[in-house]
Amino acid sequence: MHRNPTFARAGGWCVTVFALLLAVGAHAQRASAADRLSHIEPGRIKLGGEIGRRIDVTANNNLLLIKVDQDFLQPFVDRKSKSGYVGLGKLIDSLVSMAVYTHDPRVLDRKKQVVAAVLAAQQPDGYLGQMVPESRVWKLWDTHEMAYLIYGLCSDYRLLGEKPSLEAARKLGDYILAQCKAHPEREFGEGIITTHMATTGLDMALLSLSDASGDPKYRQFCVEDRKLPDWNLPIVCGRWGQVEGHVYAYMDHSLAQTHLNRIQPDAKLPSQLRGTIEFLTKKNGMVITGACGDHECWHDSQQGTMNLGETCASAYLIRAMDDCLRREGESRYGDLMERIVYNTLFAAQSPDGRRIRYYTPFDGPRTYFDGDTYCCPCNYRRIVAELPEFVFYRNDGGLAVNLYTPSTAEVKLGDVSVTIKQETGYPSSGRVVLQLDPSQPAEFPLQLRIPRWCSQAKVAVNGKPVEAPVQQGSFLTIRRTWKAGDRVEMDMAMPWRLVKGRAGQAGRVAVMRGPIVYCLSPARNKAVKGMDLRLITLDTTSIEGPIADASVRPGGTACRVKAWGPGAWYPGAKCNLELTLSEFTDPGGMATYFNVPNPKGEDLVDDELIQGGE
């Protein structure tokens, strides 16, 4: 179980944070009353396992090591830029969320340092940015930068109660509204790219500002001036024209619509996000690792080379799955979420946490981004800091367990306080033990996500098998009167799967176990040096494993498999390769799909997340 050594030293501010979180949680419950599931306050959750480790290394080896003054703050002091983007608001948002989760005074101090500098840099007219006057608002990417400054400052108020941050956010929001009123003829991005891409983050920022301040004018601006309810751009594949198919911008705008729908219900508002899920799960929009998009834009070719899976898109894809899970309560969104998190998201970061990728391909070499600013590094920090919210949810007066990882959460259910603890080696092992300790005996439902990849799962309470059928691809609901010390044991079988490729990968397979995709790293398999990895053919009967492999993460796994090299006369010829396939997060991974002797063999399976998409 992960333990934060700084928790005990955090002092009185933790008490204040917890009080704030209780109030925030109550507000969130009221605001999202129509949702099937709702978040638990992040400060009441502690995570271990790979999810907890990734949060820790992001905090300690990234957020606390980056050159904040030089790279992030100085441009906003100088205000000499004519174009460009830093991501300062995203940095604030990640620092706030990470401070609340970790209770680490070092993170809180860094957050205070950044926010203080930002407030000092705000101009008398409310402007907060790095641009010279003639480039403000309308030039790329000034409004994008300002939008996330509003959002990050609102997060500082929402989660840490900082009123000066809210006031600064209001001044900046008023500045944007005033500029739009004064120049109705001007267009964001000036026609270079589509308006919704040029203003990525603006609608969500203004909606959040309206929520935090209680002032409806910011929401009204989104509805009446921005026409947010009427935005209905179809999925556009490829990068051309005004870049209409930009994945990150598209999902951000769709999520702003669902946020608005929670405040002003309108049946058409969630339709864009529903169309996105259909494209991903029915029309080849998502690849085997959970990534989507090529060169930042929608694609359906299933090709996975150098520009696959922008990290911003991956972050917003996880948020989209969370949004759908909360609204609809269907477990498939959790299945999709864990595929993205354990593969594409974590592969976008070096194992030590210091470096972050812009793209994460599954075919060919992967490279790290050469800086700490800009959209992808900043959005990575934000989504990793949000991961605690996606493990447990409140549901129908009880609890739902969505992601499996060593963890502890303290949850208020009416008049009862419940501590729930997970012990597991997931995703290396399918065994999960949950212990529930309510402050007094209490009846409530406990829901457990049974993944679609798991055709055999056993669940017992205090050693007795549950009576309800355990069905893959659903939430198993256990309703009973829970007492302190009650234990729920889950055993989810994790057989190896040879998953059929689609579209550009037709006739080939990917190797999976549980939610993990495996890959071939030439650095670990010297025999393939100089080979065209796309021509390797696996002996599908030869997989051995899992074998322990801590080279990428503690408790990680790998497998061994025999194969034929390019041009070999399979299946009669003896396999001339013995390969080790590692988890997709292996930085040296360069091949994920492989040829097989019989591409229609009975031992091959469809991707359960695509097959099950409805």
Side-chain angles (χ1 to χ4, degrees), residues 197-273:
M197 182 181 173
T199 56
T200 301
L202 179 59
D203 291 283
M204 187 65 84
L206 293 176
L207 292 173
S208 298
L209 180 56
S210 189
D211 292 345
S213 66
D215 192 334
K217 71 179 180 183
Y218 306 109
R219 181 171 66 250
Q220 290 170 353
F221 178 78
C222 295
V223 172
E224 298 170 7
D225 294 76
R226 298 272 295 158
K227 308 296 182 186
L228 179 61
D230 300 320
W231 183 78
N232 63 352
L233 183 72
I235 295 284
V236 176
C237 287
R239 188 181 181 94
W240 53 278
Q242 289 187 303
V243 201
E244 287 87 351
H246 191 266
V247 175
Y248 163 29
Y250 191 100
M251 285 195 286
D252 168 74
H253 222 62
S254 299
L255 286 168
Q257 288 183 318
T258 61
H259 185 102
L260 179 62
N261 184 61
R262 288 180 168 89
I263 304 164
Q264 299 177 190
D266 182 342
K268 71 181 180 183
L269 283 169
S271 62
Q272 292 297 103
L273 194 52

Side-chain angles (χ1 to χ4, degrees), residues 313-323 337 340-341 345 383 387 390:
S314 299
Y316 272 77
L317 192 51
I318 293 168
R319 293 188 183 99
M321 298 309 160
D322 166 69
D323 185 276
M337 184 189 294
I340 304 162
V341 168
L345 183 68
I383 194 64
L387 290 179
F390 309 145

Side-chain angles (χ1 to χ4, degrees), residues 68-381:
V68 168
D69 289 337
Q70 173 183 310
D71 294 342
F72 285 88
L73 295 176
Q74 195 62 46
F76 291 79
V77 174
D78 296 339
R79 292 187 293 277
K80 296 179 179 179
S81 302
K82 295 182 179 180
S83 63
Y85 184 74
V86 173
L88 181 56
K90 293 184 176 79
L91 175 65
I92 294 172
D93 188 50
S94 62
L95 283 168
V96 169
S97 295
M98 197 69 82
V100 170
Y101 168 76
T102 63
H103 311 288
D104 187 335
R106 298 173 303 162
V107 179
L108 182 65
D109 287 346
R110 171 144 282 199
K111 189 279 301 182
K112 289 180 177 179
Q113 169 204 354
V114 172
V115 171
V118 166
L119 299 189
Q122 189 164 33
Q123 299 299 285
D125 63 358
Y127 177 73
L128 237 179
Q130 61 170 324
M131 301 295 186
V132 295
E134 59 269 24
S135 294
R136 292 176 185 174
V137 182
W138 315 105
K139 295 285 186 181
L140 296 176
W141 294 95
D142 197 38
T143 297
H144 180 47
E145 187 86 64
M146 290 190 290
Y148 280 96
L149 281 164
I150 292 172
Y151 190 89
L153 291 168
C154 285
S155 294
D156 198 26
Y157 171 74
R158 177 173 58 88
L159 290 176
L160 293 173
E162 294 288 355
K163 292 183 180 179
S165 292
L166 177 61
E167 289 306 308
R170 292 198 68 167
K171 287 175 63 178
L172 182 52
D174 290 343
Y175 171 82
I176 294 174
L177 267 58
Q179 292 299 310
C180 291
K181 183 178 180 180
H183 303 283
E185 78 287 353
R186 299 197 70 174
E187 182 180 358
F188 293 107
E190 300 186 319
I192 298 172
I193 57 175
T194 187
T195 299
H196 79 269
M197 182 181 173
T199 56
T200 301
L202 179 59
D203 291 283
M204 187 65 84
L206 293 176
L207 292 173
S208 298
L209 180 56
S210 189
D211 292 345
S213 66
D215 192 334
K217 71 179 180 183
Y218 306 109
R219 181 171 66 250
Q220 290 170 353
F221 178 78
C222 295
V223 172
E224 298 170 7
D225 294 76
R226 298 272 295 158
K227 308 296 182 186
L228 179 61
D230 300 320
W231 183 78
N232 63 352
L233 183 72
I235 295 284
V236 176
C237 287
R239 188 181 181 94
W240 53 278
Q242 289 187 303
V243 201
E244 287 87 351
H246 191 266
V247 175
Y248 163 29
Y250 191 100
M251 285 195 286
D252 168 74
H253 222 62
S254 299
L255 286 168
Q257 288 183 318
T258 61
H259 185 102
L260 179 62
N261 184 61
R262 288 180 168 89
I263 304 164
Q264 299 177 190
D266 182 342
K268 71 181 180 183
L269 283 169
S271 62
Q272 292 297 103
L273 194 52
R274 278 197 297 268
T276 298
I277 302 299
E278 180 171 331
F279 174 74
L280 294 169
T281 60
K282 284 188 172 183
K283 300 179 180 179
N284 289 328
M286 175 182 282
V287 301
I288 190 70
T289 59
C292 67
D294 181 76
H295 206 170
E296 301 184 350
C297 295
W298 296 115
H299 90 314
D300 57 5
S301 68
Q302 293 290 300
Q303 297 298 323
T305 53
M306 60 184 293
N307 289 334
L308 174 74
E310 183 198 15
T311 296
C312 292
S314 299
Y316 272 77
L317 192 51
I318 293 168
R319 293 188 183 99
M321 298 309 160
D322 166 69
D323 185 276
C324 292
L325 179 61
R326 285 185 287 127
R327 283 187 296 108
E328 301 177 26
E330 292 188 15
S331 67
R332 67 172 175 144
Y333 300 116
D335 296 342
L336 289 159
M337 184 189 294
E338 76 167 4
R339 175 82 66 87
I340 304 162
V341 168
Y342 279 118
N343 296 286
T344 291
L345 183 68
F346 290 164
Q349 183 185 49
S350 60
D352 66 358
R354 184 62 188 93
R355 293 175 293 173
I356 297 170
R357 303 186 195 281
Y358 201 103
Y359 298 113
T360 307
F362 63 69
D363 187 354
R366 311 172 195 171
T367 59
Y368 291 109
F369 191 61
D370 60 1
D372 292 317
T373 64
Y374 216 60
C375 57
C376 285
C378 294
N379 265 328
Y380 183 91
R381 299 180 192 107

Side-chain angles (χ1 to χ4, degrees), residues 496-498 509-512 518-521 524-525 527-528 536-547 558-565 574-582 591-597 603-604:
W496 292 97
R497 309 194 304 284
L498 297 171
V509 302
V511 178
M512 294 193 68
Y518 289 77
C519 66
L520 174 65
S521 168
R524 300 185 59 175
N525 293 271
V528 304
I536 292 174
T537 302
L538 297 188
D539 177 353
T540 60
T541 66
S542 67
I543 296 179
E544 297 179 6
I547 57 176
C559 70
R560 296 190 181 95
V561 62
K562 295 179 180 179
W564 294 275
K574 182 180 179 180
C575 292
N576 59 355
L577 296 174
E578 292 189 5
L579 307 176
T580 296
L581 302 185
S582 45
T592 301
Y593 277 101
F594 304 93
N595 296 319
V596 291
D603 55 341
L604 313 186

